[in-house]
Amino acid sequence: MTYEEQTKITKTVIKAAVLMLEYGAESRLIETVAQRLGHVLGVDSVEVSLIPSAIVLTTLSNKKTQSSTTTRRAHHKPINMSIVCDVQKMCYKAEKENLDIDYMIKTMKEIEPNYYNSWLIVFMVGVSCASFAYLHGSDLMGIFITFFASAAAMFTRQVLARKKFVLIITFGVTAFVATFFAAMSQIFHLSSTPDIALSSSVLLLAPGFPFVNSVLDAVKGYLAMGWGRWMQAVLLTSATAVGIVLAFTLLNMEGW
């Protein structure tokens, strides 16, 4: 294998790894898929080093006497398991049919996020948060207020995401909007269970996936990744708390 061929393989494998990292795959899965792709393409070994914002990948060939190393930055993107599944399907098909590097390059160019209709997401988030309020014993008016507050918060989150605001600011503003509208149930005495409406309306901001991934990474030995993802989840939770506190502070200042 020539060095040019190995470099092309290295760039292809790290592109697949970066796709999986950006869209929320756990570290062990990223490393495993990268190693399997490298094996299909003919290199002896693939070594991967992961941090939350970048990947360093090295391939070894010619009985591990020749190496090629490259680094790629991973940009934060919304969690999307369809992308991760598409990369895994590509890996399985390449192994089964012994496909070449041109197939992998072509396939990765065609991988696109599977986005749902934005209004459908707003509606379903409102329904899910309202259902949570119902399960916790909220009255009918509290359920309707939870639906409205959480739907408005999700719409706000989508708008800020399209404007490419920093994720922490997006979470803080979204929590502010959800709390502000949910607090109407207490201010105007619309519901006998305002506390349930307040807690249920910010359910959409729970960073469950980053917390789960951080624990999985730490348990499986990827401590740097686990710590980084855990800190990200904590910062998002803190931003949510700040948004809630600011909403209550504003309402108290207005005398509501």
Side-chain angles (χ1 to χ4, degrees), residues 1 33 38 59 122 133 164 200 205-206 217 230 236:
M1 180 182 294
V33 170
T59 58
V122 169
K164 299 187 184 300
S200 301
L205 296 172
D217 287 344
W230 183 82
L236 295 179

Side-chain angles (χ1 to χ4, degrees), residues 77-94:
K77 295 180 181 178
I79 293 170
N80 194 319
M81 288 295 103
S82 68
I83 299 293
V84 178
C85 290
D86 287 341
V87 176
Q88 287 182 274
K89 290 176 183 177
M90 179 191 71
C91 178
Y92 297 151
K93 186 174 181 180

